[in-house]
Amino acid sequence: MNGVTDVLVVAPHPDDDVIGCGGSIAKHVRDGARVTVVIVIGRERSALDDAVTDSQFAAETQAAAKILGVHRCISFDEPSRDFTLSRRVHLDLVRVLREVRPQVVYLPHDNDDDVEHRMVHQLTTEALWMAQSDFFQEAGERPMPAPRLVLGYEVWAPMARFQYAEDIDGQIETKVEAMRAYVSQLRHAAWDEGIRGLARYRGALSAGSGHAEVFQVLSLSTHPSAGVPGGDRD
Ligand SMILES: [Zn+2]
């Protein structure tokens, strides 16, 4: 194939990328893709998190990205609970899209239980359109070509229906290990075992066994390999 496949993952908060599509990220990396993660909102401020400093938390995020093999992790650091969908934040994402020019894009599915996840879904679908248009020159002059594939992942609300399942049997331990890098989050709940259980359930549901991540297909080009991990292989 000509050139490296670029993948962009938009995560509302640190660790949403790991939970939603960490196995698929590791699989893209295995296949030689370059994965960029954008984390839109900064860490949640709660009394439970007071024991962790900002730099410790940033180190957890970096460690998780390294385990998955993420090429670049960009934090917008928008304020949690005060996050609004401004023109500025749209343009920030358009700028990244026009720079990375991803063939595959991951974002939260459209009906997650968390309001900030739904906002980031809306932000990303809008920015995808903006980045492909001839307008918004202040966010980069060259419009982005349409991605081959846009997939919605699940975090806090399992999807009742999905259109695509990715087999992550070979990546489940990497995904769990990346989750374990978020030591501060595991103090609240056993998310590492939670994501293993969800992947196991999705594996049974989609293939009868193994581990899987499932997705809402939000946009799919007619390109034959469509950009899924392994799709560029012969
Ligand atoms: Zn989140």
Side-chain angles (χ1 to χ4, degrees):
M1 293 300 294
N2 49 345
V4 176
T5 298
D6 271 291
V7 176
L8 183 75
V9 179
V10 184
H13 311 100
D15 84 11
D16 288 331
D17 52 324
V18 177
I19 297 169
C21 58
S24 297
I25 292 174
K27 203 166 175 179
H28 278 296
V29 171
R30 181 205 69 182
D31 291 349
R34 193 164 45 200
V35 180
T36 301
V37 175
V38 172
I39 298 170
V40 177
I41 299 165
R43 59 185 290 217
E44 173 80 77
R45 291 281 161 198
S46 75
L48 283 167
D49 283 328
D50 276 355
V52 185
T53 66
D54 282 352
S55 64
Q56 282 169 332
F57 194 76
E60 291 182 0
T61 305
Q62 291 304 325
K66 196 174 172 197
I67 290 164
L68 295 180
V70 169
H71 171 69
R72 188 173 161 209
C73 188
I74 303 165
S75 291
F76 284 178
D77 223 12
E78 294 292 321
S80 184
R81 303 303 143 202
D82 295 317
F83 176 55
T84 51
L85 293 176
S86 63
R87 178 181 174 84
R88 181 190 50 78
V89 73
H90 279 97
L91 291 177
D92 285 348
L93 190 53
V94 170
R95 200 169 290 116
V96 173
L97 283 164
R98 284 184 175 168
E99 191 188 317
V100 174
R101 310 176 85 73
Q103 286 95 348
V104 187
V105 175
Y106 290 88
L107 69 161
H109 77 85
D110 62 3
N111 199 25
D112 200 278
D113 205 36
D114 183 290
V115 65
E116 289 182 340
H117 288 209
R118 292 197 301 275
M119 288 168 84
V120 168
H121 172 90
Q122 203 186 325
L123 164 71
T124 309
T125 46
E126 191 72 6
L128 276 166
W129 169 80
M130 291 168 74
Q132 290 171 61
S133 82
D134 291 326
F135 303 103
F136 317 108
Q137 297 273 305
E138 62 271 48
E141 286 175 12
R142 279 199 310 152
M144 175 192 80
R148 297 203 299 253
L149 184 63
V150 179
L151 293 174
Y153 59 75
E154 56 187 1
V155 180
W156 298 129
M159 288 181 279
R161 288 186 192 83
F162 59 87
Q163 289 85 45
Y164 180 72
E166 185 65 55
D167 175 353
I168 59 155
D169 224 25
Q171 288 74 33
I172 184 62
E173 295 309 325
T174 306
K175 175 171 172 149
V176 169
E177 199 193 327
M179 191 65 232
R180 286 185 179 145
Y182 283 99
V183 176
S184 62
Q185 301 310 296
L186 297 186
R187 283 192 207 121
H188 306 312
W191 299 125
D192 52 342
E193 290 308 316
I195 62 172
R196 190 195 293 281
L198 180 62
R200 188 76 191 83
Y201 167 68
R202 289 314 197 180
L205 208 62
S206 61
S209 66
H211 296 82
E213 287 171 346
V214 299
F215 301 97
Q216 191 174 47
V217 177
L218 295 160
S219 169
L220 172 68
S221 79
T222 52
H223 190 284
S225 65
V228 295
D232 281 344
R233 303 191 144 198
D234 297 329

